[in-house]
Amino acid sequence: DTNKNSQAEKGNEKTATTQSYKTYTNARYGFSISYPANFIEGKSPTNGDGLRFTSPDNQATLSASGGNVGNFSTRDMFEMAKRSIKGTIGYNVLEDTWYVLTWKENGKLYYKKDFVGAKSHNSFTFSFPESMREQYEPVVEELERSFKRGNTEQGH
């Protein structure tokens, strides 16, 4: 029992420094993001617009994808994303070419970043149980740091 507790504590304390990452690069939209190496890659959609990754315990998920924007601006995309959220919106920021939204819904925390260009956008959404916030905050920081946009000035 003591061993179990010290392993759990060690896992929580060292997540930020010992978590290893892999990089996913989307061939169609050109964006890339680093994700926890132990996350399981979902089935690739036939249109190649993105991938979903799930933690081994199925508690956390990362979806990274691209899409064409038509005539929508960054503000339009931001407002549409806000309207689609059923939970309580927290931190949110809108800039010229990107936005970030966080929200809480059904005991889970969500973090979404979207780069928006003239013709396409690249986004990721990461979710995890609120009770695992301490464990996953360093992961959110790495996702944010590592997320690189593709060429959003052209459609794909």
Side-chain angles (χ1 to χ4, degrees), residues 41-56:
E41 189 176 304
K43 187 173 183 250
S44 185
T46 54
N47 70 359
D49 69 350
L51 271 182
R52 182 179 174 104
F53 303 87
T54 308
S55 62

Side-chain angles (χ1 to χ4, degrees), residues 71-96:
N71 293 319
F72 294 115
S73 68
T74 306
R75 177 173 292 285
D76 294 335
M77 298 288 285
F78 176 71
E79 294 299 334
M80 286 187 293
K82 278 174 54 177
R83 284 193 299 273
S84 73
I85 293 169
K86 293 174 181 44
T88 305
I89 295 175
Y91 175 77
N92 62 96
V93 63
L94 170 64
E95 294 291 337
D96 291 340

